[in-house]
Amino acid sequence: MSKNNYDQFNLPPTGPNLCDFYGQYIGFGGGGPTGVQLTSIAKSALFDSANSEYLSRTPDSAGNLRKWTLSLWAYRSDFGTGEFKLWSAISSSNFDMVAFSGNELGIEINTASSNTNSLRSNALFRDQGWYHIVVVWDSDNSTATNRIRAWVNGKRITSWRVSAFPGSAGVDSLTNSTVLHTLGAKANVSQYFDGYLAESVLINGSALEPTSFAEYDPTGTFWVPKSPAVIKALTFGSTGFYLDNATNAQTDAGSEGNNFTNNNTVLTSSHTCTKIYGLWNSLIGVRATAITTTNGNQTAAQASASDGIRSITSTLPFPSEDSKGFYAEITCTNLTDLNTLGIHSATSDLLDEFNFGTADYFLYDVGGGKRSSGNTQASYGNSYADGDVIGIFVKNGKVYFSKNGTFQNSGDPSDGAESGFAFENITGPVVIIYSGGGNGTPYTISLNSGQNSYAATAPAGAREISTTAIAAAT
């Protein structure tokens, strides 16, 4: 994340810029500015609140209850108004928690209310990007406002809407005690987090700065994680842990062997704080409140068929004129003749109602095998139906569509002529778009930008839609 941007919502770039919609650096893991190689984090843990997924453990013996540091990277998928717990420990009615409280960062330590040992930030965290969150509990500190300290992307938070710091020193936390601890849910088990967590670390007995876990890149602009080797060299303390997600979501990669229990199958993902993939964008869409996203924004569903036409786009604009091209797949269920998919210019205003009468859209329609753009429709390939995997390949200013691995219109993007394309002369960055609904059962659509294995064989040399691939292309 670029320096000091808590609530950044930039319009899409108009050229090969280094940032996507949300200020996220698109060179992570693939070489930064001036070719600097940055740390690559291989896996994150994906928490799907629709499936009540979380990690839990109860320490056998207590650690330090007055001094500890929690560090984790978080990517939000759900932006509702409730509590979305990142970390929690609970005993009866009292609990510790670090959470997104609506869009605020919330912290509570051994309390049953927001009136004591409780903080809520003035800053709002409502971007679809990665946040590095560090919280220190330092109960014996002589300065009240230093007993709880928090940083986001290396910047300390000092402005709090609720600022009920501990009034006296020597308060014990529940974290590091012999009670239930959870990642991804409140420890009584409720208020589930929806999104991705990476590089989750608890340090028992030390109050560390965020620079123990991350640092600015050589340009001094972007906040990036330190390598797993650096994290493993930290002193964790008896109840500390490091979840690197390399083999699974629950195994402690630190020195203490404090593994978690995986509840309701928290999976790992290639979508990390150093390699961001294009996902469904729950912040931009036509009447997007009628679309729900699940599975880490890899799946989107219309709330009700009676809601009429609903549209959603992907995050992470990618260049349309790259010579290798970018490839993604969409799988659909409950289709009607009103459904269509394709690409949309990312330089147009995505915040207003989609106007399919403009030439900013390049679409493959479900009904009868059609392509459409700017209110012009023409025959193209075959119709598609529930369960079909539709490939979208954008190369050299042309877009091709495949059905279950076969490019339509006898398309061959790999031959010298690049024949059988649906549209050509496309310029600038684009995003994936899906639109449909009405007159039937609510649709469900899944987007795979390369974070999972493709169902079909991608065209030779094609790039996935990720920050690393975009950085290599630009």
Side-chain angles (χ1 to χ4, degrees):
M1 174 66 78
S2 54
K3 186 184 290 186
N4 300 351
N5 285 331
Y6 283 153
D7 191 24
Q8 181 170 327
F9 193 87
N10 294 330
L11 289 177
T14 57
N17 296 354
L18 284 176
C19 295
D20 70 2
F21 280 83
Y22 313 106
Q24 290 288 352
Y25 175 44
I26 69 170
F28 280 163
T34 67
V36 175
Q37 184 67 33
L38 301 175
T39 293
S40 179
I41 302 303
K43 294 287 185 179
S44 65
L46 168 56
F47 295 79
D48 189 355
S49 63
N51 197 38
S52 304
E53 297 172 4
Y54 66 102
L55 303 176
S56 62
R57 72 175 299 267
T58 301
D60 294 329
S61 58
N64 194 316
L65 307 183
R66 297 188 180 182
K67 184 175 290 188
W68 48 261
T69 306
L70 177 71
S71 169
L72 52 79
W73 292 76
Y75 182 103
R76 301 186 67 184
S77 298
D78 192 336
F79 292 84
T81 58
E83 296 274 349
F84 306 96
K85 296 295 192 289
L86 303 170
W87 171 254
S88 180
I90 194 165
S91 176
S92 186
S93 60
N94 280 21
F95 57 88
D96 293 359
M97 72 91 170
V98 178
F100 289 113
S101 299
N103 293 318
E104 302 169 347
L105 181 66
I107 303 169
E108 294 183 6
I109 305 295
N110 201 354
T111 182
S113 74
S114 61
N115 298 320
T116 57
N117 307 344
S118 180
L119 305 176
R120 296 290 189 278
S121 66
N122 279 313
L124 302 179
F125 301 93
R126 52 191 177 189
D127 292 350
Q128 283 189 308
W130 284 92
Y131 294 112
H132 180 219
I133 299 169
V134 175
V135 174
V136 164
W137 172 244
D138 191 8
S139 174
D140 290 330
N141 198 294
S142 59
T143 302
T145 54
N146 285 336
R147 291 171 190 152
I148 306 175
R149 305 194 291 277
W151 296 259
V152 175
N153 297 335
K155 177 72 173 180
R156 184 171 174 182
I157 301 177
T158 57
S159 176
W160 299 96
R161 183 182 63 81
V162 175
S163 56
F165 288 93
S168 59
V171 176
D172 288 345
S173 68
L174 293 173
T175 296
N176 291 329
S177 68
T178 56
V179 301
L180 180 66
H181 295 54
T182 54
L183 278 164
K186 188 176 179 180
N188 61 352
V189 180
S190 62
Q191 299 175 342
Y192 299 96
F193 174 65
D194 196 81
Y196 302 80
L197 297 180
E199 298 293 285
S200 299
V201 179
L202 179 66
I203 302 295
N204 166 35
S206 298
L208 301 183
E209 297 285 310
T211 49
S212 295
F213 312 97
E215 60 192 347
Y216 285 112
D217 79 324
T219 71
T221 305
F222 300 100
W223 188 250
V224 297
K226 289 189 171 181
S227 71
V230 170
I231 304 304
K232 289 177 182 179
L234 296 172
T235 300
F236 294 93
S238 61
T239 56
F241 60 82
Y242 169 35
L243 301 184
D244 66 355
N245 310 126
T247 56
N248 55 49
Q250 68 269 16
T251 298
D252 181 12
S255 58
E256 302 303 313
N258 290 323
N259 299 331
F260 280 68
T261 298
N262 191 325
N263 301 279
N264 300 321
T265 318
V266 179
L267 300 175
T268 61
S269 171
S270 298
H271 178 76
T272 74
C273 47
T274 63
K275 190 175 187 181
I276 303 165
Y277 282 87
L279 305 170
W280 289 126
N281 190 337
S282 59
L283 298 177
I284 298 180
V286 175
R287 308 180 190 95
T289 54
I291 297 177
T292 57
T293 55
T294 56
N295 193 26
N297 286 5
Q298 298 177 102
T299 302
Q302 186 185 18
S304 170
S306 62
D307 289 331
I309 303 298
R310 296 291 179 265
S311 304
I312 192 168
T313 65
S314 65
T315 61
L316 207 59
F318 56 94
S320 61
E321 298 161 276
D322 180 62
S323 60
K324 291 188 176 181
F326 288 83
Y327 178 76
E329 293 178 341
I330 292 179
T331 305
C332 320
T333 59
N334 298 326
L335 295 173
T336 73
D337 285 348
L338 298 176
N339 292 72
T340 189
L341 57 82
I343 59 173
H344 170 51
S345 171
T347 60
S348 299
D349 190 353
L350 300 178
L351 300 177
D352 290 336
E353 182 135 350
F354 295 112
N355 180 4
F356 290 105
T358 70
D360 293 331
Y361 299 83
F362 307 93
L363 305 171
Y364 179 23
D365 303 332
V366 64
K370 303 285 185 181
R371 61 182 175 91
S372 59
S373 178
N375 269 342
T376 299
Q377 191 176 61
S379 296
Y380 175 82
N382 300 311
S383 60
Y384 50 96
D386 288 1
D388 286 336
V389 177
I390 305 303
I392 302 174
F393 184 47
V394 182
K395 176 184 178 182
N396 285 334
K398 304 177 178 70
V399 60
Y400 305 78
F401 298 102
S402 65
K403 173 184 171 182
N404 299 327
T406 300
F407 279 98
Q408 300 300 285
N409 200 34
S410 301
D412 188 354
S414 63
D415 69 7
E418 296 180 354
S419 58
F421 51 81
F423 298 97
E424 62 177 338
N425 300 320
I426 303 166
T427 60
V430 295
V431 291
I432 305 295
I433 182 171
Y434 187 93
S435 181
N439 300 332
T441 306
Y443 66 72
T444 300
I445 47 174
S446 297
L447 174 63
N448 181 10
S449 295
Q451 72 273 23
N452 303 309
S453 297
Y454 289 123
T457 301
R463 305 182 194 270
E464 61 190 8
I465 303 176
S466 72
T467 51
T468 302
I470 294 170
T474 55

